[in-house]
Amino acid sequence: MIRRVLVANRGEIARRVLRACRDLGIGTVAVCSDPDAGAPHVREADAAGRLPGAAPAETYLSAERLLAVARSAGADAVHPGYGFLSENAEFARAVLDAGLTWIGPPPDAIAAMGSKIQAKKLMAAADVPVLPELDPARVTDADFPLLVKASAGGGGRGMRVVGTPGGLREAVAAARREAESAFGDPAVFCEPLLENARHIEVQVLADGHGTVWTLGERECSIQRRHQKIVEEAPSPAVTPGLRAELCQAAANAARAIGYTGAGTVEFMLAPDGRFYFLEVNTRLQVEHPVTECVYGVDLVRLQIEVAEGARLDEAAPRPRGHAIEVRLYAEDPAHGWRPATGTLHTFEVPGVDAEFAVPATHGLRLDSGVESGAEVGVHYDPMLAKLIAWAPTRAAAARRLAAGLRGARIHGLTTNRDLLVRVLEEPGFLDGDTDTGYLDRIGLDTLASPLADEATAKVSALAAALAQAAANRSAAPVLGGLPSGWRNVRSQPQRRTFDGPHGTIDVDYRLDRDGLTSELCPGTSLISAASERVVLDHGGLRETFAVTTAGNAVHVDSRLGPVTLTAVPRFADPSSQIAPGSLLAPMPGTVLRVETEPGADVDEGQTLVVLEAMKMEHRIAAPSAGTVTELNVSAGQQVESGAVLAVIEGTPE
C-alpha cells in the first residue's frame, strides 16, 4: 500500500493528484520552483520541497532534484502528472531503482512509445492502421502538404505544417529547435497531412493482471498551434460501429507494449471514415475530466490503485451523457496567440458544482492551477484552468459551459475566454462540424472578436466612470452625501476617457436635479452608484455592472458581456513616449535568433526577431517596410514586455 506520494509536477494537474490522494488517505509531497513558491498546490500538500531556480531544466525536469525531495520527505511513490518527465522512461526507471513505486506505465512501454518513429512500426505490426513515415531529406513534390513532427514529446511542440517544398527546410529546422528545447531530442520526421481530418483519441486503462479497459473516445479536433483547446466525449462524428473499431485498435496497441495504468491512444479520422494511429500518450491526458464525467470514474485514483496491484473489474463502466472541456489560456488569440504574463487579479467562476471531481449530478467542474492574485510568468505553459460541463446531451453541455465562461470574472490578463464562448455558440460547432482546420475555416476575425459589442462597451464605460466618481466621492466626505458629479445648476459635463475593446471611448455625463444625462448612452438613467457596483436603467431594463479597478485597468462585468477598459490620463507622461518605428517585445522572453542587422532594408511582415516564451517560439515581424536604424538585442538575451527590440525608419515614398 502506498503511504506517501511525491507529485512531480505543478499547477492544476498537481492539485488534481493531491485531491485523489487525500480521498484515498495517502500523504502528499509537492515540489515547487522559486516562481511557484506561493502556488496553491504547494499549500495543499502535506509537505513541499523546493527546486531552486525557475527554468524547467533545473526544476521540474531535474530527476536528481525530484528524487532528492522524495527521499528527504519519506515518499514511497511518485506520480508524474502530465508534461515534464511524465513520459520519460529514464526517470521512471530511476524512480523504480530508488525503491519507489512509479504511478505510471512500465518504463519499457514508455520507451517503446517515446519515439513516434519506432512507435509507428510497432503499431503497424499490431494491426493498428498507420500513416506512412516520410524522411524529410527524401520527400518529393507529390508528398505535399505534409506535417513535420518531433519524434519525442507532444503538446504540439516541434510540429509544423508545410504546404510547399520551399518551406520545408525552415520548418524542419524550427521543429528541431523546438523539440530539442522542449524534450531534449531534436529528431523529427514527416508524414502526409490529412486535411479536414478529426483528432480522435481513446482512453485506455490496464491493470497488471491482463485486463484492458477502453473508456470510449474523445474528440479533440479544435486546436491552435496543434494544441487542443476544446475536447469532448463522446465524439459527435463517431458511430457505434466506428467506436468499436477504434476501441479494438486502442486495446491492441496497449497489449502490444504491455501497458498498465492510464494512457491514451490517439488517431486521425479522415473524412472518408478511415482512421490512422497518431501516437500513444503514456500518461494521463489534460482532457481526462470529460471521460471521468461520462464514465463516472476517477482516473487518478485508478492509476494509484493499479500501481498498488489492484485488479480492474472485468467490464468497464457504461457511458452516460456528454461532457465538454475548454482550456483557458493566458493568451491573445486576436494577436497570433500571444501569451500574456503578469498578475491575475481576479479569477472567479460562479456556479461551479465540483472542483477536480465529477459533479454529483450533471453540472460544471473546474480544474484550476491558479486563483485570484496569481502571478503568471514566462517559464511554463500558459494554461490557467480547465472548465468542464457535463449534461445529458451535447447541446445542453455546450450551453452550460458557455454560460459558465460568460459569467466568469477574469481580470488582469488577456485570455482566450471570449474565443471559447464563441466556439461553443457557433452553429457549425453545435452541429458537430469540427475538424483540425476548424479555427482557420471559421476565422479568428469572427471567433476572437470581443463578446461585448461596441454598444455594450459604451454603457460599461459609463458605469466605470460613475464607479470611479463614486470612489472619489467616498474619499472626499466633505461633499455631504450628494452623488459625485451632482450639480444644482447645469454646468460642464464630467469627462473620462478609456481605451476599450473597440477603440477610444470618451464618457461625458451630467448629474443634476434631472438625474443622469449622457450623450454616449442617451436615455440611460442612474439607479445607484458605488465604487464597485453601478446599477443603470438601460434600454428600459435594470442592469447591474460590477466594476473592479487595478491600476489603470478597469474591468466591468455584466449580463451584457465582460469589458476591460484602460483609463487614459488627461495629461500624457512625456517620459513614456516611444520613438516612432519602434519594434516592441510583446511579452517577456528569451531572444532565440536575430534575423536582421543595423542598416538592413526590411519588408512589412518580415521576421526580425524570434523570442521563446512559455515553451513556444514567437516571431516578431516588422510592422512596416523600412530600414533598421537601431538593433538592441542579441541571441540569448532576456527581454521584458515592452522592451524596444529595434527601430525601423520608414522608406520614403
Side-chain angles (χ1 to χ4, degrees):
M1 298 290 288
I2 292 171
R3 296 180 300 104
R4 185 171 299 143
V5 172
L6 175 83
V7 183
N9 218 297
R10 64 178 300 278
E12 57 88 21
I13 184 53
R15 299 183 75 188
R16 170 71 183 88
V17 176
L18 292 172
R19 187 200 63 77
C21 289
R22 285 196 301 271
D23 290 348
L24 288 167
I26 295 174
T28 55
V29 182
V31 290
C32 65
S33 64
D34 290 339
D36 282 340
H41 78 274
V42 179
R43 298 196 308 269
E44 292 169 359
D46 297 331
R50 179 185 173 218
L51 303 174
E58 61 189 2
T59 55
Y60 300 104
L61 288 173
S62 173
E64 182 180 349
R65 288 184 174 181
L66 291 168
L67 289 174
V69 173
R71 284 190 293 269
S72 65
D76 57 351
V78 174
H79 194 301
Y82 46 67
F84 295 124
L85 293 174
S86 62
E87 294 182 281
N88 187 299
E90 291 306 311
F91 179 56
R93 291 191 181 101
V95 169
L96 295 172
D97 290 345
L100 309 179
T101 298
W102 170 251
I103 304 175
D108 287 348
I110 299 174
M113 295 294 101
S115 164
K116 293 185 180 68
I117 296 172
Q118 296 304 315
K120 292 177 74 167
K121 292 180 172 62
L122 282 171
M123 292 301 105
D127 293 328
V128 178
V130 299
L131 285 168
E133 175 197 338
L134 305 173
D135 184 338
R138 298 181 180 178
V139 297
T140 67
D141 291 356
D143 294 322
F144 291 88
L146 53 76
L147 197 60
V148 180
K149 298 176 68 174
S151 181
R157 297 178 182 89
M159 190 178 295
R160 297 289 189 279
V161 173
V162 185
T164 61
L168 182 60
R169 171 180 280 188
E170 172 53 27
V172 168
R176 283 177 173 154
R177 286 192 303 270
E178 208 164 80
E180 172 72 27
S181 174
F183 316 122
D185 183 352
V188 300
F189 67 99
C190 300
E191 66 183 17
L193 176 67
L194 289 180
E195 297 184 285
N196 306 121
R198 292 175 180 260
H199 188 131
I200 305 292
E201 60 190 30
V202 176
Q203 176 70 57
V204 298
L205 186 71
D207 63 20
H209 309 283
T211 300
V212 178
W213 281 0
T214 54
L215 298 174
E217 84 286 345
R218 297 186 287 254
E219 167 99 34
C220 309
S221 297
I222 299 180
Q223 305 175 3
R224 59 96 168 104
R225 289 184 166 183
H226 308 290
Q227 290 184 316
K228 307 158 190 173
I229 58 172
V230 180
E231 301 107 339
E232 59 182 304
S235 166
V238 174
T239 63
L242 179 56
R243 180 171 298 116
E245 293 181 38
L246 285 163
C247 288
Q248 185 60 59
N252 290 346
R255 290 191 172 97
I257 58 174
Y259 202 85
T260 59
T264 301
V265 186
E266 302 198 349
F267 302 95
M268 295 302 291
L269 177 62
D272 62 7
R274 292 186 291 177
F275 62 89
Y276 303 92
F277 172 80
L278 190 60
E279 62 185 348
V280 175
N281 290 128
T282 53
R283 54 171 169 79
L284 199 67
Q285 290 278 84
V286 177
E287 57 271 24
H288 75 273
V290 294
T291 297
E292 291 189 322
C293 289
V294 170
Y295 282 85
V297 297
D298 183 331
L299 287 172
V300 178
R301 179 177 187 140
L302 288 168
Q303 281 185 299
I304 295 170
E305 291 174 344
V306 165
E308 290 180 318
R311 291 178 179 269
L312 297 173
D313 292 340
E314 184 176 342
R318 304 294 299 172
R320 49 193 181 136
H322 199 101
I324 305 175
E325 171 183 294
V326 294
R327 303 189 192 187
L328 185 70
Y329 282 103
E331 65 185 11
D332 187 352
H335 293 88
W337 309 98
R338 179 190 302 164
T341 59
T343 304
L344 183 65
H345 295 291
T346 308
F347 183 72
E348 299 173 359
V349 185
V352 169
D353 299 288
E355 294 189 47
F356 304 103
V358 178
T361 58
H362 296 119
L364 201 61
R365 166 177 171 172
L366 176 66
D367 286 20
S368 172
V370 298
E371 54 191 17
S372 296
E375 291 292 329
V376 178
V378 299
H379 299 290
Y380 312 115
D381 187 276
M383 189 174 76
L384 302 176
K386 305 176 309 198
L387 194 61
I388 306 99
W390 174 41
T393 66
R394 184 173 185 269
R399 181 171 60 190
R400 181 72 179 86
L401 188 51
L405 284 168
R406 277 185 176 274
R409 300 179 69 227
I410 307 169
H411 303 158
L413 294 176
T414 301
T415 72
N416 64 337
R417 183 259 300 273
D418 290 11
L419 175 134
L420 295 173
V421 172
R422 292 205 177 278
V423 167
L424 293 166
E425 295 178 346
E426 194 272 321
F429 173 82
L430 294 174
D431 288 341
D433 183 17
T434 59
D435 56 47
T436 53
Y438 173 85
L439 294 181
D440 290 334
R441 186 172 70 253
I442 304 302
L444 289 182
D445 55 341
T446 297
L447 295 174
S449 61
L451 288 176
D453 59 19
E454 192 167 358
T456 296
K458 289 179 179 179
V459 70
S460 296
L462 175 59
L466 292 167
Q468 290 189 339
N472 293 340
R473 160 108 185 86
S474 67
V478 295
L479 292 179
L482 294 176
S484 181
W486 190 90
R487 297 291 185 274
N488 188 42
V489 295
R490 185 172 293 273
S491 63
Q492 292 297 314
Q494 300 294 304
R495 165 168 285 193
R496 292 185 184 273
T497 301
F498 300 97
D499 284 333
H502 303 280
T504 300
I505 305 173
D506 292 317
V507 181
D508 290 339
Y509 70 92
R510 288 187 177 90
L511 279 175
D512 53 30
R513 65 179 63 194
D514 295 324
L516 172 70
T517 57
S518 171
E519 293 183 3
L520 183 69
C521 304
T524 297
S525 60
L526 174 65
I527 295 175
S528 65
S531 61
E532 296 182 353
R533 185 175 183 271
V534 173
V535 182
L536 300 175
D537 185 307
H538 176 66
L541 296 174
R542 178 175 291 207
E543 302 284 2
T544 300
F545 301 84
V547 182
T548 305
T549 301
N552 288 331
V554 185
H555 305 278
V556 185
D557 295 288
S558 74
R559 179 191 67 87
L560 303 177
V563 175
T564 296
L565 305 164
T566 302
V568 177
R570 292 183 62 188
F571 304 103
D573 179 1
S575 66
S576 67
Q577 300 301 309
I578 297 173
S582 295
L583 185 69
L584 307 182
M587 79 286 286
T590 302
V591 177
L592 288 183
R593 296 188 310 285
V594 176
E595 299 185 358
T596 188
E597 59 186 15
D601 292 329
V602 297
D603 297 324
E604 180 179 352
Q606 179 180 334
T607 298
L608 303 185
V609 178
V610 180
L611 294 181
E612 182 181 52
M614 292 182 170
K615 301 184 181 180
M616 301 290 284
E617 289 189 9
H618 305 274
R619 295 178 172 272
I620 315 302
S624 60
T627 301
V628 178
T629 59
E630 185 178 319
L631 188 62
N632 302 321
V633 293
S634 58
Q637 182 176 338
Q638 296 283 331
V639 296
E640 295 299 319
S641 178
V644 178
L645 306 177
V647 177
I648 302 167
E649 195 171 287
T651 303
E653 295 184 0

